[in-house]
């Protein structure tokens, strides 16, 4: 399943280079064979997958959904589960398999001690005759009952075509809220800020960005370390990518309170992350982007004031354009256990990482 993008816009822009006095994150690139192969190769492709220790045995498990071809009748196979080390297929009970996800968000939404899975239902119409012919479906949450079974709750009040979603404690009450973005405003639908009551019940809170028309990537972080969740989005406008941080206030987000980061417009944003690699108190913004031909590359931006961001993509050693299918999602952590922070492709079976080293750039 390919990631849906429908706009190819080329805009020549000038990106500000880093100051010589900046302490830059330095990353080396190589391929490593991980001691634990956590993900499985899926030859026919998958829509999405997520790491979740659903049975609380201390070992990462996997939830996966197969890709969806709109030209073929869908049989609704439901989610696939893998557990153990090495991973083998497992079969927890799910009370409704007529569900699909193009993105999975893992969190304990009802605070019962077990991780649940929010399922964003947007499907990819690539290869069809109409970009807007994909089915209008509700999102769902698979509530983890006891580590052995899931109860599906349909968010039927918000059927639509959903292209991006993210989660975080937006109102600072200790539970996980949701932001879901639709591309179906022509049908009267809008983006939704969904506030959790702590038991997995969600209500809509009006937001200043409800009517943004095309958000193809969104994530929530506390970028400026003020205790409030910030929303990082890339939305498509007439001039191309508009990559922004909307600063949170513990209640909502406003376009007037945002910072725009200039990024290239000849590639599409696929995934967003943030991390303070050089320990200077400011998070570097890390995004993966791909070209219409399918190749993708890691991009990085640095700030010293949470206002101005410099493009330091060329400082990443070995940061070549990659073309491995489905390798656009990234995570951050010490993947090889050597005490250094890595940026790595989430699908660990691809064995691709960049390792932070503040003393050496390896070309």
């Amino acid at each position: 399943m390919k990631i849906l993008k429908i706009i190819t816009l080329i805009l020549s822009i000038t990106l500000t280079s880093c100051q010589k006095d900046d302490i830059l994150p330095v990353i080396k690139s190589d391929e490593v064979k991980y001691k634990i192969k956590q993900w499985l190769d899926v030859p026919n492709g998958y829509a999405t997958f997520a790491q979740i220790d659903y049975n609380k045995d201390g070992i990462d498990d996997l939830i996966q959904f197969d890709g969806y071809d709109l030209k073929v009748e869908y049989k609704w196979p439901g989610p696939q589960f893998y557990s153990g080390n090495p991973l083998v297929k497992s079969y927890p009970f799910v009370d409704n398999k007529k569900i699909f996800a193009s993105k999975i968000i893992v969190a304990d939404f009802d605070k019962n001690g077990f991780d649940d899975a929010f399922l964003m239902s947007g499907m990819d119409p690539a290869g069809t005759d109409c970009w807007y012919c994909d089915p209008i479906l509700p999102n769902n949450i698979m509530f983890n009952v006891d580590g052995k079974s899931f109860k599906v709750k349909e968010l039927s009040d918000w059927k639509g075509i959903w292209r991006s979603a993210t989660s975080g404690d937006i109102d600072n009450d200790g539970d996980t809220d949701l932001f879901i973005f639709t591309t179906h405003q022509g049908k009267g639908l809008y983006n939704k800020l969904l506030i959790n009551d702590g038991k997995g019940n969600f209500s809509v809170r009006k937001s200043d960005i409800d009517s943004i028309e095309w958000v193809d990537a969104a994530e929530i972080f506390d970028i400026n370390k003020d205790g409030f969740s910030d929303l990082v989005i890339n939305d498509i406008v007439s001039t191309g990518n508009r990559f922004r941080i909307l600063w949170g206030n513990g209640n909502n987000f406003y376009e007037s309170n945002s910072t725009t980061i200039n990024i290239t417009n000849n590639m599409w944003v696929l995934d967003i992350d943030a991390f303070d690699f050089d320990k200077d108190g400011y998070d570097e913004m890390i995004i993966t982007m791909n070209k219409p031909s399918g190749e993708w590359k890691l991009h990085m931006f640095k700030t010293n004031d949470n206002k101005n961001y410099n493009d330091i993509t060329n400082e990443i050693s070995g940061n070549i354009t990659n073309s491995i299918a489905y390798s656009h999602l990234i995570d951050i952590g010490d993947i090889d256990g050597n005490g250094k922070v890595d940026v790595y492709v989430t699908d660990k079976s691809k064995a691709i990482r960049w390792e932070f080293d503040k003393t050496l750039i390896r070309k």
Side-chain angles (χ1 to χ4, degrees):
M1 174 178 175
K2 297 179 180 178
I3 297 294
L4 168 65
K5 311 287 174 182
I6 67 170
I7 303 175
T8 306
L9 295 168
I10 308 295
L11 180 65
S12 176
I13 61 175
T14 302
L15 298 175
T16 307
S17 61
C18 295
Q19 300 297 316
K20 291 183 179 180
D21 293 336
D22 288 346
I23 301 174
L24 299 179
V26 180
I27 294 175
K28 67 180 181 180
S29 174
D30 59 6
E31 292 192 357
V32 295
K33 300 300 180 183
Y34 304 113
K35 296 178 181 178
I36 301 175
K37 187 175 180 180
Q38 292 179 282
W39 305 137
L40 304 179
D41 290 315
V42 186
N44 294 324
Y46 47 80
T48 191
F49 61 88
Q51 177 180 319
I52 172 175
D53 182 10
Y54 73 84
N55 54 13
K56 297 189 70 174
D57 64 355
I59 300 174
D60 290 334
D61 309 309
L62 180 73
I63 299 179
Q64 174 184 293
F65 283 85
D66 287 337
Y68 188 102
D69 186 346
L70 290 176
K71 297 182 291 184
V72 179
E73 182 182 357
Y74 195 51
K75 302 300 183 182
W76 297 103
Q80 300 174 33
F81 295 85
Y82 296 87
S83 298
N85 179 18
L87 287 169
V88 295
K89 201 159 188 177
S90 56
Y91 301 90
F93 175 76
V94 180
D95 68 349
N96 177 10
K97 291 190 176 181
K98 196 173 182 180
I99 52 179
F100 175 84
S102 56
K103 181 173 182 178
I104 303 171
I105 294 175
V106 174
D108 184 5
F109 292 108
D110 57 3
K111 303 181 76 171
N112 72 341
F114 292 93
D115 280 339
D116 311 306
F118 168 80
L119 312 177
M120 189 186 74
S121 63
M123 297 183 181
D124 186 352
T128 65
D129 296 328
C130 176
W131 286 105
Y132 294 95
C133 292
D134 33 352
I136 297 177
L137 297 171
N139 295 309
N140 293 279
I141 297 179
M142 294 196 327
F143 284 104
N144 190 340
V145 178
D146 53 7
K148 301 176 182 178
S149 61
F150 289 86
K151 183 176 180 59
V152 176
K153 180 178 181 179
E154 180 182 287
L155 302 182
S156 55
D157 291 340
W158 307 299
K159 288 187 178 181
I161 299 175
W162 305 97
R163 299 299 188 208
S164 186
T166 186
S167 66
D169 185 5
I170 293 166
D171 55 357
N172 269 23
D173 64 352
D175 55 37
T176 303
D177 308 303
L178 287 164
F179 234 130
I180 55 177
F181 298 90
T182 182
T183 55
H184 218 165
Q185 282 88 355
K187 299 292 184 180
L189 295 176
Y190 297 92
N191 308 321
K192 305 290 185 184
L193 171 53
L194 302 179
I195 299 298
N196 190 354
D197 67 354
K199 299 178 181 179
N201 303 306
F202 293 86
S203 59
V204 176
R205 175 174 293 176
K206 295 296 292 182
S207 174
D208 191 38
I209 61 174
D210 289 352
S211 58
I212 293 178
E213 292 190 1
W214 192 283
V215 175
D216 58 356
E219 296 294 343
I220 288 176
F221 314 96
D222 183 6
I223 298 291
N224 56 5
K225 309 298 190 299
D226 65 352
F228 300 132
S229 296
D230 306 308
L231 177 63
V232 184
I233 64 172
N234 186 73
D235 59 309
I236 304 297
V237 293
S238 60
T239 53
N241 290 317
R242 183 168 59 173
F243 190 70
R244 295 182 287 169
I245 304 172
L246 288 89
W247 304 105
N249 60 11
N251 179 61
N252 217 317
F253 300 96
Y254 300 93
E255 291 192 83
S256 59
N257 184 24
S258 65
T259 297
T260 298
I261 302 174
N262 290 327
I263 64 174
T264 182
N265 286 286
N266 64 352
M267 301 181 80
W268 296 318
V269 174
L270 299 173
D271 198 15
I272 303 168
D273 219 323
F275 193 82
D276 183 7
F277 288 96
D278 53 15
K279 306 299 182 185
D280 66 348
Y282 297 98
D283 284 350
E284 284 73 48
M285 297 300 306
I286 307 154
I287 61 177
T288 52
M289 303 184 72
N290 81 331
K291 296 180 179 179
S293 54
E295 294 89 354
W296 66 272
K297 187 176 181 179
L298 198 70
H299 292 247
M300 186 177 287
F301 301 85
K302 180 175 174 55
T303 184
N304 293 311
D305 56 10
N306 288 324
K307 296 178 181 179
N308 303 289
Y309 283 80
N310 298 320
D311 182 5
I312 58 172
T313 298
N314 292 334
E315 302 294 329
I316 303 173
S317 177
N319 186 23
I320 61 174
T321 301
N322 294 275
S323 60
I324 300 175
Y326 307 113
S327 292
H328 52 270
L329 299 178
I330 56 171
D331 280 319
I332 298 174
D334 183 8
I335 192 64
D336 53 357
N338 69 349
K340 297 180 181 179
V341 177
D342 305 295
V343 178
Y344 60 93
V345 170
T346 307
D347 186 343
K348 299 184 183 73
S349 68
K350 306 305 181 187
I352 299 177
R353 67 158 184 178
W354 295 263
E355 183 173 89
F356 173 70
D357 187 329
K358 55 187 174 183
T359 61
L360 179 66
I361 296 179
R362 296 186 178 181
K363 295 293 186 180

